[in-house]
Every structure is written in C-alpha cells, then in structure tokens.
Amino acid sequence: MSLAATPSVETATATLDADLLKRSFGAYPSGITIVTADTANGLVGFTCQAFFSVSLEPPLLAISVMNSSSSYPVIRDHQRFAVNVLAEHHAELALKFARKTADRWEGTGWRHSACGSPLIDEAVVTYDCEIWSEVQAGDHTIVIARILDVHLTEHVKRAPMVYVDSRFCGVK
C-alpha cells in the first residue's frame, strides 16, 4: 500500500516566507560533510549539510543536493563518491567547498580510498558510496547511495562539526 500526501486547503494555498523557513531550518543542528569524487573531469566536491543514514541492510545513506549544483551532475555521471564527515576544526574547509568560484582542492589535504574516492584528511569518518537511486524533491534531489566502505580514522575522537544558527561549531 502506498500513501500519497494530500495537502489541506490551508497548506495548499499558504505561502511560507522563505527567510522564515531558512531561519527555522537553521535552528536545528545538522552535521557538515564534503561530498567528493575523482572523475574523468578531475576532482569535484561540495559542502553538504543534508546527510543521514537510511538502512543497515543494504547499507544505505542519503544526501540532499541543490538542483542548481554544478558539481553533482559530474558526480552523477561518475556514479561513485565519498561523504566526508567534517571535524569541528574544518570550518574554513567547509566554507571553501561551499563557494562556487574557489579552487576547492588547492591546499586541501586528501588521499584516494581503495574505491578511488578522495578522502579529506582528518575527517571524523568517510563513506565510499555508489548511487543507488534519486528522488526529486522540490529544488533539491535526494540521493540515496549504497555504502561500499567506511573509514573511521584515528581522528574519530574529535568532535564532529555541526551547523546551527548560521554558524559552525563542535559537539561537546
């Protein structure tokens, strides 16, 4: 059985203020990741705060990507990527990979995984993935990925970075 959402008359006609919605989403802390791939077109990567576990069997995770992303179409064509969970000291790196014009890889420490994905140095944990499916959701695409490998580093005792109220901080 499938359930389809049917908006009520009130919600179907209501227009939410975009700034209010952004601020309300910002009140909820989210982890910060950098999604990376080494493709035929070179290294690509972008900062992503919408990341979550989906399933243990099969091992799946999900990221949410803006439809306007210039990096994700390259990753989609490649089919494989890594999700790098950032540590609290990675704020500048998160900002660098969020910018459209920056050379994201200049000065960035990384290494290849056994699957060929770029793994960010000192990430708390990294996941090697391949695309499992995509779901179009408004101005974003939810990408569900099969986890091929997990890398818990010696830095796992560091606090992961979170984003809340338009600022980066660590979890204590």
Side-chain angles (χ1 to χ4, degrees):
M1 179 170 83
S2 175
L3 298 176
T6 306
S8 68
V9 172
E10 294 82 24
T11 58
T13 59
T15 301
L16 293 174
D17 177 70
D19 289 332
L20 173 63
L21 194 54
K22 284 180 189 178
R23 287 195 325 269
S24 72
F25 286 152
Y28 183 76
S30 61
I32 299 294
T33 68
I34 294 178
V35 176
T36 59
D38 190 357
T39 73
N41 295 322
L43 295 170
V44 293
F46 61 91
T47 300
C48 179
Q49 77 180 77
F51 155 78
F52 55 95
S53 63
V54 174
S55 171
L56 293 176
E57 189 53 47
L60 302 174
L61 61 76
I63 59 173
S64 182
V65 182
M66 289 176 44
N67 291 338
S68 62
S69 170
S70 59
S71 299
Y72 182 66
V74 177
I75 292 172
R76 179 191 294 126
D77 290 344
H78 186 64
Q79 289 292 300
R80 287 200 173 177
F81 62 91
V83 176
N84 299 267
V85 177
L86 299 184
E88 65 182 332
H89 70 282
H90 281 136
E92 287 301 316
L93 191 62
L95 290 171
K96 181 164 71 166
F97 274 77
R99 294 183 193 116
K100 298 227 182 259
T101 58
D103 180 355
R104 296 171 177 162
W105 293 96
E106 184 178 332
T108 300
W110 65 278
R111 68 198 179 286
H112 277 114
S113 70
C115 297
S117 296
L119 305 181
I120 302 291
D121 287 350
E122 299 183 357
V124 174
V125 62
T126 57
Y127 300 90
D128 266 309
C129 304
E130 65 183 358
I131 295 173
W132 174 274
S133 67
E134 294 179 330
V135 177
Q136 296 304 308
D139 59 4
H140 280 66
T141 299
I142 300 168
V143 181
I144 301 171
R146 182 177 181 89
I147 302 167
L148 304 173
D149 202 0
V150 178
H151 310 274
L152 282 169
T153 68
E154 67 272 10
H155 307 287
V156 74
K157 293 182 181 173
R158 292 188 180 201
M161 180 188 301
V162 296
Y163 189 72
V164 63
D165 291 331
S166 299
R167 62 186 170 84
F168 297 113
C169 55
V171 177
K172 302 288 183 204

PDB file of all heavy atoms in Angstrom, residues 136-172:
ATOM      1  N   GLN A 136      13.495  13.262  -6.804  1.00  0.00           N
ATOM      2  CA  GLN A 136      13.337  14.702  -6.996  1.00  0.00           C
ATOM      3  C   GLN A 136      12.426  15.227  -5.892  1.00  0.00           C
ATOM      4  O   GLN A 136      11.359  14.665  -5.650  1.00  0.00           O
ATOM      5  CB  GLN A 136      12.751  15.006  -8.373  1.00  0.00           C
ATOM      6  CG  GLN A 136      13.652  14.595  -9.519  1.00  0.00           C
ATOM      7  CD  GLN A 136      15.034  15.213  -9.436  1.00  0.00           C
ATOM      8  OE1 GLN A 136      15.187  16.420  -9.293  1.00  0.00           O
ATOM      9  NE2 GLN A 136      16.052  14.376  -9.510  1.00  0.00           N
ATOM     10  N   ALA A 137      12.866  16.283  -5.220  1.00  0.00           N
ATOM     11  CA  ALA A 137      12.106  16.836  -4.102  1.00  0.00           C
ATOM     12  C   ALA A 137      12.221  18.359  -4.144  1.00  0.00           C
ATOM     13  O   ALA A 137      13.137  18.934  -3.561  1.00  0.00           O
ATOM     14  CB  ALA A 137      12.627  16.280  -2.787  1.00  0.00           C
ATOM     15  N   GLY A 138      11.334  19.002  -4.874  1.00  0.00           N
ATOM     16  CA  GLY A 138      11.354  20.462  -4.966  1.00  0.00           C
ATOM     17  C   GLY A 138      12.628  20.950  -5.620  1.00  0.00           C
ATOM     18  O   GLY A 138      13.000  20.486  -6.701  1.00  0.00           O
ATOM     19  N   ASP A 139      13.332  21.859  -4.940  1.00  0.00           N
ATOM     20  CA  ASP A 139      14.557  22.423  -5.504  1.00  0.00           C
ATOM     21  C   ASP A 139      15.804  21.602  -5.152  1.00  0.00           C
ATOM     22  O   ASP A 139      16.929  22.038  -5.370  1.00  0.00           O
ATOM     23  CB  ASP A 139      14.737  23.888  -5.092  1.00  0.00           C
ATOM     24  CG  ASP A 139      14.796  24.093  -3.587  1.00  0.00           C
ATOM     25  OD1 ASP A 139      14.768  23.102  -2.827  1.00  0.00           O
ATOM     26  OD2 ASP A 139      14.866  25.264  -3.154  1.00  0.00           O
ATOM     27  N   HIS A 140      15.608  20.408  -4.623  1.00  0.00           N
ATOM     28  CA  HIS A 140      16.705  19.505  -4.270  1.00  0.00           C
ATOM     29  C   HIS A 140      16.467  18.113  -4.862  1.00  0.00           C
ATOM     30  O   HIS A 140      15.349  17.769  -5.245  1.00  0.00           O
ATOM     31  CB  HIS A 140      16.832  19.374  -2.750  1.00  0.00           C
ATOM     32  CG  HIS A 140      17.555  20.507  -2.113  1.00  0.00           C
ATOM     33  ND1 HIS A 140      17.059  21.790  -2.093  1.00  0.00           N
ATOM     34  CD2 HIS A 140      18.749  20.548  -1.485  1.00  0.00           C
ATOM     35  CE1 HIS A 140      17.917  22.574  -1.470  1.00  0.00           C
ATOM     36  NE2 HIS A 140      18.956  21.845  -1.091  1.00  0.00           N
ATOM     37  N   THR A 141      17.540  17.334  -4.902  1.00  0.00           N
ATOM     38  CA  THR A 141      17.476  15.925  -5.255  1.00  0.00           C
ATOM     39  C   THR A 141      18.001  15.141  -4.061  1.00  0.00           C
ATOM     40  O   THR A 141      19.090  15.437  -3.554  1.00  0.00           O
ATOM     41  CB  THR A 141      18.349  15.608  -6.493  1.00  0.00           C
ATOM     42  OG1 THR A 141      17.862  16.369  -7.600  1.00  0.00           O
ATOM     43  CG2 THR A 141      18.322  14.131  -6.831  1.00  0.00           C
ATOM     44  N   ILE A 142      17.215  14.194  -3.595  1.00  0.00           N
ATOM     45  CA  ILE A 142      17.669  13.312  -2.529  1.00  0.00           C
ATOM     46  C   ILE A 142      18.374  12.143  -3.199  1.00  0.00           C
ATOM     47  O   ILE A 142      17.778  11.437  -4.016  1.00  0.00           O
ATOM     48  CB  ILE A 142      16.493  12.822  -1.657  1.00  0.00           C
ATOM     49  CG1 ILE A 142      15.797  14.033  -1.025  1.00  0.00           C
ATOM     50  CG2 ILE A 142      16.983  11.838  -0.602  1.00  0.00           C
ATOM     51  CD1 ILE A 142      14.475  13.722  -0.383  1.00  0.00           C
ATOM     52  N   VAL A 143      19.642  11.982  -2.886  1.00  0.00           N
ATOM     53  CA  VAL A 143      20.466  10.934  -3.474  1.00  0.00           C
ATOM     54  C   VAL A 143      20.636   9.841  -2.431  1.00  0.00           C
ATOM     55  O   VAL A 143      21.194  10.084  -1.348  1.00  0.00           O
ATOM     56  CB  VAL A 143      21.850  11.475  -3.897  1.00  0.00           C
ATOM     57  CG1 VAL A 143      22.692  10.375  -4.524  1.00  0.00           C
ATOM     58  CG2 VAL A 143      21.699  12.658  -4.837  1.00  0.00           C
ATOM     59  N   ILE A 144      20.151   8.659  -2.735  1.00  0.00           N
ATOM     60  CA  ILE A 144      20.331   7.506  -1.861  1.00  0.00           C
ATOM     61  C   ILE A 144      21.504   6.715  -2.430  1.00  0.00           C
ATOM     62  O   ILE A 144      21.545   6.422  -3.628  1.00  0.00           O
ATOM     63  CB  ILE A 144      19.056   6.653  -1.774  1.00  0.00           C
ATOM     64  CG1 ILE A 144      17.907   7.513  -1.229  1.00  0.00           C
ATOM     65  CG2 ILE A 144      19.294   5.417  -0.895  1.00  0.00           C
ATOM     66  CD1 ILE A 144      16.554   6.859  -1.284  1.00  0.00           C
ATOM     67  N   ALA A 145      22.463   6.415  -1.564  1.00  0.00           N
ATOM     68  CA  ALA A 145      23.694   5.779  -2.013  1.00  0.00           C
ATOM     69  C   ALA A 145      23.968   4.508  -1.216  1.00  0.00           C
ATOM     70  O   ALA A 145      23.739   4.467   0.000  1.00  0.00           O
ATOM     71  CB  ALA A 145      24.866   6.740  -1.877  1.00  0.00           C
ATOM     72  N   ARG A 146      24.479   3.506  -1.915  1.00  0.00           N
ATOM     73  CA  ARG A 146      24.920   2.273  -1.258  1.00  0.00           C
ATOM     74  C   ARG A 146      26.327   2.513  -0.725  1.00  0.00           C
ATOM     75  O   ARG A 146      27.197   2.997  -1.446  1.00  0.00           O
ATOM     76  CB  ARG A 146      24.917   1.108  -2.231  1.00  0.00           C
ATOM     77  CG  ARG A 146      25.318  -0.198  -1.592  1.00  0.00           C
ATOM     78  CD  ARG A 146      25.233  -1.353  -2.609  1.00  0.00           C
ATOM     79  NE  ARG A 146      25.604  -2.579  -1.981  1.00  0.00           N
ATOM     80  CZ  ARG A 146      24.772  -3.406  -1.354  1.00  0.00           C
ATOM     81  NH1 ARG A 146      23.485  -3.105  -1.302  1.00  0.00           N
ATOM     82  NH2 ARG A 146      25.196  -4.508  -0.793  1.00  0.00           N
ATOM     83  N   ILE A 147      26.535   2.177   0.542  1.00  0.00           N
ATOM     84  CA  ILE A 147      27.843   2.344   1.171  1.00  0.00           C
ATOM     85  C   ILE A 147      28.718   1.149   0.799  1.00  0.00           C
ATOM     86  O   ILE A 147      28.358  -0.005   1.057  1.00  0.00           O
ATOM     87  CB  ILE A 147      27.713   2.464   2.703  1.00  0.00           C
ATOM     88  CG1 ILE A 147      26.806   3.647   3.062  1.00  0.00           C
ATOM     89  CG2 ILE A 147      29.090   2.587   3.347  1.00  0.00           C
ATOM     90  CD1 ILE A 147      26.370   3.671   4.507  1.00  0.00           C
ATOM     91  N   LEU A 148      29.866   1.431   0.173  1.00  0.00           N
ATOM     92  CA  LEU A 148      30.803   0.394  -0.230  1.00  0.00           C
ATOM     93  C   LEU A 148      31.874   0.145   0.820  1.00  0.00           C
ATOM     94  O   LEU A 148      32.374  -0.974   0.957  1.00  0.00           O
ATOM     95  CB  LEU A 148      31.481   0.789  -1.553  1.00  0.00           C
ATOM     96  CG  LEU A 148      30.550   1.094  -2.718  1.00  0.00           C
ATOM     97  CD1 LEU A 148      31.338   1.634  -3.905  1.00  0.00           C
ATOM     98  CD2 LEU A 148      29.765  -0.157  -3.103  1.00  0.00           C
ATOM     99  N   ASP A 149      32.244   1.201   1.549  1.00  0.00           N
ATOM    100  CA  ASP A 149      33.280   1.086   2.569  1.00  0.00           C
ATOM    101  C   ASP A 149      33.138   2.241   3.551  1.00  0.00           C
ATOM    102  O   ASP A 149      32.632   3.308   3.187  1.00  0.00           O
ATOM    103  CB  ASP A 149      34.667   1.116   1.913  1.00  0.00           C
ATOM    104  CG  ASP A 149      35.754   0.488   2.774  1.00  0.00           C
ATOM    105  OD1 ASP A 149      35.460   0.020   3.897  1.00  0.00           O
ATOM    106  OD2 ASP A 149      36.920   0.469   2.322  1.00  0.00           O
ATOM    107  N   VAL A 150      33.570   2.017   4.779  1.00  0.00           N
ATOM    108  CA  VAL A 150      33.547   3.036   5.831  1.00  0.00           C
ATOM    109  C   VAL A 150      34.956   3.169   6.364  1.00  0.00           C
ATOM    110  O   VAL A 150      35.651   2.167   6.570  1.00  0.00           O
ATOM    111  CB  VAL A 150      32.594   2.638   6.981  1.00  0.00           C
ATOM    112  CG1 VAL A 150      32.616   3.676   8.093  1.00  0.00           C
ATOM    113  CG2 VAL A 150      31.192   2.415   6.479  1.00  0.00           C
ATOM    114  N   HIS A 151      35.379   4.414   6.592  1.00  0.00           N
ATOM    115  CA  HIS A 151      36.723   4.679   7.105  1.00  0.00           C
ATOM    116  C   HIS A 151      36.608   5.493   8.388  1.00  0.00           C
ATOM    117  O   HIS A 151      36.345   6.689   8.333  1.00  0.00           O
ATOM    118  CB  HIS A 151      37.552   5.458   6.078  1.00  0.00           C
ATOM    119  CG  HIS A 151      37.515   4.855   4.718  1.00  0.00           C
ATOM    120  ND1 HIS A 151      38.375   3.860   4.321  1.00  0.00           N
ATOM    121  CD2 HIS A 151      36.690   5.084   3.672  1.00  0.00           C
ATOM    122  CE1 HIS A 151      38.102   3.510   3.080  1.00  0.00           C
ATOM    123  NE2 HIS A 151      37.081   4.243   2.666  1.00  0.00           N
ATOM    124  N   LEU A 152      36.762   4.831   9.533  1.00  0.00           N
ATOM    125  CA  LEU A 152      36.846   5.526  10.811  1.00  0.00           C
ATOM    126  C   LEU A 152      38.322   5.819  11.041  1.00  0.00           C
ATOM    127  O   LEU A 152      39.135   4.903  11.074  1.00  0.00           O
ATOM    128  CB  LEU A 152      36.313   4.655  11.943  1.00  0.00           C
ATOM    129  CG  LEU A 152      34.812   4.544  12.077  1.00  0.00           C
ATOM    130  CD1 LEU A 152      34.443   3.451  13.069  1.00  0.00           C
ATOM    131  CD2 LEU A 152      34.212   5.865  12.492  1.00  0.00           C
ATOM    132  N   THR A 153      38.668   7.077  11.184  1.00  0.00           N
ATOM    133  CA  THR A 153      40.080   7.434  11.297  1.00  0.00           C
ATOM    134  C   THR A 153      40.491   7.575  12.751  1.00  0.00           C
ATOM    135  O   THR A 153      39.653   7.545  13.662  1.00  0.00           O
ATOM    136  CB  THR A 153      40.365   8.761  10.569  1.00  0.00           C
ATOM    137  OG1 THR A 153      39.707   9.809  11.280  1.00  0.00           O
ATOM    138  CG2 THR A 153      39.862   8.724   9.142  1.00  0.00           C
ATOM    139  N   GLU A 154      41.786   7.758  12.961  1.00  0.00           N
ATOM    140  CA  GLU A 154      42.281   8.000  14.316  1.00  0.00           C
ATOM    141  C   GLU A 154      41.733   9.299  14.870  1.00  0.00           C
ATOM    142  O   GLU A 154      41.811   9.566  16.047  1.00  0.00           O
ATOM    143  CB  GLU A 154      43.815   8.003  14.348  1.00  0.00           C
ATOM    144  CG  GLU A 154      44.453   9.158  13.613  1.00  0.00           C
ATOM    145  CD  GLU A 154      44.705   8.899  12.124  1.00  0.00           C
ATOM    146  OE1 GLU A 154      44.219   7.883  11.579  1.00  0.00           O
ATOM    147  OE2 GLU A 154      45.357   9.726  11.493  1.00  0.00           O
ATOM    148  N   HIS A 155      41.118  10.114  14.008  1.00  0.00           N
ATOM    149  CA  HIS A 155      40.562  11.401  14.432  1.00  0.00           C
ATOM    150  C   HIS A 155      39.115  11.274  14.890  1.00  0.00           C
ATOM    151  O   HIS A 155      38.460  12.262  15.146  1.00  0.00           O
ATOM    152  CB  HIS A 155      40.652  12.419  13.293  1.00  0.00           C
ATOM    153  CG  HIS A 155      42.042  12.530  12.765  1.00  0.00           C
ATOM    154  ND1 HIS A 155      43.041  13.143  13.462  1.00  0.00           N
ATOM    155  CD2 HIS A 155      42.599  12.070  11.625  1.00  0.00           C
ATOM    156  CE1 HIS A 155      44.171  13.071  12.770  1.00  0.00           C
ATOM    157  NE2 HIS A 155      43.917  12.432  11.652  1.00  0.00           N
ATOM    158  N   VAL A 156      38.634  10.038  15.000  1.00  0.00           N
ATOM    159  CA  VAL A 156      37.229   9.833  15.335  1.00  0.00           C
ATOM    160  C   VAL A 156      36.888  10.400  16.712  1.00  0.00           C
ATOM    161  O   VAL A 156      35.747  10.711  16.985  1.00  0.00           O
ATOM    162  CB  VAL A 156      36.849   8.340  15.219  1.00  0.00           C
ATOM    163  CG1 VAL A 156      37.414   7.544  16.373  1.00  0.00           C
ATOM    164  CG2 VAL A 156      35.357   8.160  15.114  1.00  0.00           C
ATOM    165  N   LYS A 157      37.880  10.584  17.594  1.00  0.00           N
ATOM    166  CA  LYS A 157      37.607  11.136  18.920  1.00  0.00           C
ATOM    167  C   LYS A 157      37.400  12.645  18.875  1.00  0.00           C
ATOM    168  O   LYS A 157      37.014  13.251  19.845  1.00  0.00           O
ATOM    169  CB  LYS A 157      38.726  10.771  19.885  1.00  0.00           C
ATOM    170  CG  LYS A 157      38.753   9.279  20.157  1.00  0.00           C
ATOM    171  CD  LYS A 157      39.798   8.894  21.140  1.00  0.00           C
ATOM    172  CE  LYS A 157      39.712   7.378  21.298  1.00  0.00           C
ATOM    173  NZ  LYS A 157      40.759   6.838  22.092  1.00  0.00           N
ATOM    174  N   ARG A 158      37.675  13.264  17.725  1.00  0.00           N
ATOM    175  CA  ARG A 158      37.421  14.697  17.582  1.00  0.00           C
ATOM    176  C   ARG A 158      35.923  14.935  17.471  1.00  0.00           C
ATOM    177  O   ARG A 158      35.182  14.103  16.970  1.00  0.00           O
ATOM    178  CB  ARG A 158      38.101  15.239  16.335  1.00  0.00           C
ATOM    179  CG  ARG A 158      39.582  15.227  16.450  1.00  0.00           C
ATOM    180  CD  ARG A 158      40.185  15.946  15.290  1.00  0.00           C
ATOM    181  NE  ARG A 158      41.617  15.909  15.443  1.00  0.00           N
ATOM    182  CZ  ARG A 158      42.428  16.734  14.859  1.00  0.00           C
ATOM    183  NH1 ARG A 158      41.973  17.658  14.068  1.00  0.00           N
ATOM    184  NH2 ARG A 158      43.714  16.641  15.051  1.00  0.00           N
ATOM    185  N   ALA A 159      35.540  16.105  17.878  1.00  0.00           N
ATOM    186  CA  ALA A 159      34.129  16.457  17.779  1.00  0.00           C
ATOM    187  C   ALA A 159      33.758  16.705  16.323  1.00  0.00           C
ATOM    188  O   ALA A 159      34.479  17.394  15.602  1.00  0.00           O
ATOM    189  CB  ALA A 159      33.852  17.703  18.611  1.00  0.00           C
ATOM    190  N   PRO A 160      32.631  16.155  15.875  1.00  0.00           N
ATOM    191  CA  PRO A 160      32.178  16.467  14.517  1.00  0.00           C
ATOM    192  C   PRO A 160      31.662  17.902  14.461  1.00  0.00           C
ATOM    193  O   PRO A 160      31.235  18.464  15.465  1.00  0.00           O
ATOM    194  CB  PRO A 160      31.043  15.468  14.281  1.00  0.00           C
ATOM    195  CG  PRO A 160      30.560  15.115  15.640  1.00  0.00           C
ATOM    196  CD  PRO A 160      31.731  15.236  16.564  1.00  0.00           C
ATOM    197  N   MET A 161      31.732  18.476  13.268  1.00  0.00           N
ATOM    198  CA  MET A 161      31.236  19.827  13.064  1.00  0.00           C
ATOM    199  C   MET A 161      29.725  19.791  12.872  1.00  0.00           C
ATOM    200  O   MET A 161      29.201  18.900  12.216  1.00  0.00           O
ATOM    201  CB  MET A 161      31.878  20.449  11.826  1.00  0.00           C
ATOM    202  CG  MET A 161      31.409  21.862  11.549  1.00  0.00           C
ATOM    203  SD  MET A 161      31.997  22.488   9.982  1.00  0.00           S
ATOM    204  CE  MET A 161      33.739  22.382  10.195  1.00  0.00           C
ATOM    205  N   VAL A 162      29.057  20.762  13.448  1.00  0.00           N
ATOM    206  CA  VAL A 162      27.629  20.947  13.188  1.00  0.00           C
ATOM    207  C   VAL A 162      27.411  22.393  12.755  1.00  0.00           C
ATOM    208  O   VAL A 162      28.236  23.274  13.015  1.00  0.00           O
ATOM    209  CB  VAL A 162      26.730  20.610  14.400  1.00  0.00           C
ATOM    210  CG1 VAL A 162      26.833  19.143  14.756  1.00  0.00           C
ATOM    211  CG2 VAL A 162      27.048  21.471  15.592  1.00  0.00           C
ATOM    212  N   TYR A 163      26.277  22.598  12.102  1.00  0.00           N
ATOM    213  CA  TYR A 163      25.887  23.920  11.633  1.00  0.00           C
ATOM    214  C   TYR A 163      24.543  24.244  12.263  1.00  0.00           C
ATOM    215  O   TYR A 163      23.576  23.475  12.122  1.00  0.00           O
ATOM    216  CB  TYR A 163      25.779  23.910  10.108  1.00  0.00           C
ATOM    217  CG  TYR A 163      25.582  25.262   9.479  1.00  0.00           C
ATOM    218  CD1 TYR A 163      26.626  26.183   9.432  1.00  0.00           C
ATOM    219  CD2 TYR A 163      24.362  25.614   8.916  1.00  0.00           C
ATOM    220  CE1 TYR A 163      26.459  27.422   8.832  1.00  0.00           C
ATOM    221  CE2 TYR A 163      24.193  26.849   8.316  1.00  0.00           C
ATOM    222  CZ  TYR A 163      25.241  27.745   8.280  1.00  0.00           C
ATOM    223  OH  TYR A 163      25.080  28.973   7.686  1.00  0.00           O
ATOM    224  N   VAL A 164      24.488  25.355  12.986  1.00  0.00           N
ATOM    225  CA  VAL A 164      23.246  25.780  13.625  1.00  0.00           C
ATOM    226  C   VAL A 164      23.272  27.298  13.750  1.00  0.00           C
ATOM    227  O   VAL A 164      24.317  27.891  14.003  1.00  0.00           O
ATOM    228  CB  VAL A 164      23.044  25.076  15.007  1.00  0.00           C
ATOM    229  CG1 VAL A 164      24.146  25.444  15.988  1.00  0.00           C
ATOM    230  CG2 VAL A 164      21.664  25.353  15.565  1.00  0.00           C
ATOM    231  N   ASP A 165      22.130  27.923  13.536  1.00  0.00           N
ATOM    232  CA  ASP A 165      22.006  29.386  13.627  1.00  0.00           C
ATOM    233  C   ASP A 165      23.056  30.094  12.790  1.00  0.00           C
ATOM    234  O   ASP A 165      23.704  31.058  13.229  1.00  0.00           O
ATOM    235  CB  ASP A 165      22.081  29.860  15.081  1.00  0.00           C
ATOM    236  CG  ASP A 165      20.856  29.440  15.884  1.00  0.00           C
ATOM    237  OD1 ASP A 165      19.774  29.311  15.269  1.00  0.00           O
ATOM    238  OD2 ASP A 165      20.983  29.250  17.107  1.00  0.00           O
ATOM    239  N   SER A 166      23.300  29.600  11.574  1.00  0.00           N
ATOM    240  CA  SER A 166      24.240  30.187  10.608  1.00  0.00           C
ATOM    241  C   SER A 166      25.681  30.213  11.094  1.00  0.00           C
ATOM    242  O   SER A 166      26.451  31.096  10.734  1.00  0.00           O
ATOM    243  CB  SER A 166      23.801  31.610  10.228  1.00  0.00           C
ATOM    244  OG  SER A 166      22.521  31.578   9.636  1.00  0.00           O
ATOM    245  N   ARG A 167      26.060  29.236  11.924  1.00  0.00           N
ATOM    246  CA  ARG A 167      27.450  29.170  12.374  1.00  0.00           C
ATOM    247  C   ARG A 167      27.879  27.711  12.539  1.00  0.00           C
ATOM    248  O   ARG A 167      27.052  26.824  12.758  1.00  0.00           O
ATOM    249  CB  ARG A 167      27.666  29.967  13.652  1.00  0.00           C
ATOM    250  CG  ARG A 167      26.865  29.454  14.827  1.00  0.00           C
ATOM    251  CD  ARG A 167      26.994  30.373  16.054  1.00  0.00           C
ATOM    252  NE  ARG A 167      26.036  29.975  17.056  1.00  0.00           N
ATOM    253  CZ  ARG A 167      26.229  29.001  17.937  1.00  0.00           C
ATOM    254  NH1 ARG A 167      27.349  28.346  17.966  1.00  0.00           N
ATOM    255  NH2 ARG A 167      25.299  28.703  18.815  1.00  0.00           N
ATOM    256  N   PHE A 168      29.191  27.510  12.410  1.00  0.00           N
ATOM    257  CA  PHE A 168      29.780  26.199  12.620  1.00  0.00           C
ATOM    258  C   PHE A 168      30.204  26.073  14.074  1.00  0.00           C
ATOM    259  O   PHE A 168      30.684  27.032  14.678  1.00  0.00           O
ATOM    260  CB  PHE A 168      31.042  26.015  11.752  1.00  0.00           C
ATOM    261  CG  PHE A 168      30.766  26.072  10.278  1.00  0.00           C
ATOM    262  CD1 PHE A 168      31.248  27.118   9.515  1.00  0.00           C
ATOM    263  CD2 PHE A 168      30.046  25.066   9.648  1.00  0.00           C
ATOM    264  CE1 PHE A 168      31.020  27.165   8.154  1.00  0.00           C
ATOM    265  CE2 PHE A 168      29.810  25.108   8.288  1.00  0.00           C
ATOM    266  CZ  PHE A 168      30.297  26.158   7.548  1.00  0.00           C
ATOM    267  N   CYS A 169      30.051  24.879  14.637  1.00  0.00           N
ATOM    268  CA  CYS A 169      30.538  24.629  15.994  1.00  0.00           C
ATOM    269  C   CYS A 169      30.756  23.129  16.147  1.00  0.00           C
ATOM    270  O   CYS A 169      30.359  22.337  15.291  1.00  0.00           O
ATOM    271  CB  CYS A 169      29.574  25.160  17.043  1.00  0.00           C
ATOM    272  SG  CYS A 169      27.884  24.563  16.900  1.00  0.00           S
ATOM    273  N   GLY A 170      31.398  22.752  17.226  1.00  0.00           N
ATOM    274  CA  GLY A 170      31.630  21.344  17.521  1.00  0.00           C
ATOM    275  C   GLY A 170      30.609  20.839  18.516  1.00  0.00           C
ATOM    276  O   GLY A 170      29.915  21.621  19.181  1.00  0.00           O
ATOM    277  N   VAL A 171      30.543  19.544  18.620  1.00  0.00           N
ATOM    278  CA  VAL A 171      29.649  18.911  19.593  1.00  0.00           C
ATOM    279  C   VAL A 171      30.496  18.491  20.781  1.00  0.00           C
ATOM    280  O   VAL A 171      31.481  17.793  20.638  1.00  0.00           O
ATOM    281  CB  VAL A 171      28.956  17.673  18.983  1.00  0.00           C
ATOM    282  CG1 VAL A 171      28.105  16.980  20.014  1.00  0.00           C
ATOM    283  CG2 VAL A 171      28.143  18.064  17.771  1.00  0.00           C
ATOM    284  N   LYS A 172      30.137  18.943  21.956  1.00  0.00           N
ATOM    285  CA  LYS A 172      30.894  18.605  23.164  1.00  0.00           C
ATOM    286  C   LYS A 172      30.126  17.610  24.005  1.00  0.00           C
ATOM    287  O   LYS A 172      28.970  17.585  24.062  1.00  0.00           O
ATOM    288  CB  LYS A 172      31.185  19.861  23.996  1.00  0.00           C
ATOM    289  CG  LYS A 172      31.957  20.911  23.238  1.00  0.00           C
ATOM    290  CD  LYS A 172      33.379  20.478  23.041  1.00  0.00           C
ATOM    291  CE  LYS A 172      34.134  21.600  22.327  1.00  0.00           C
ATOM    292  NZ  LYS A 172      35.274  21.178  21.623  1.00  0.00           N
TER     293      LYS A 172
END
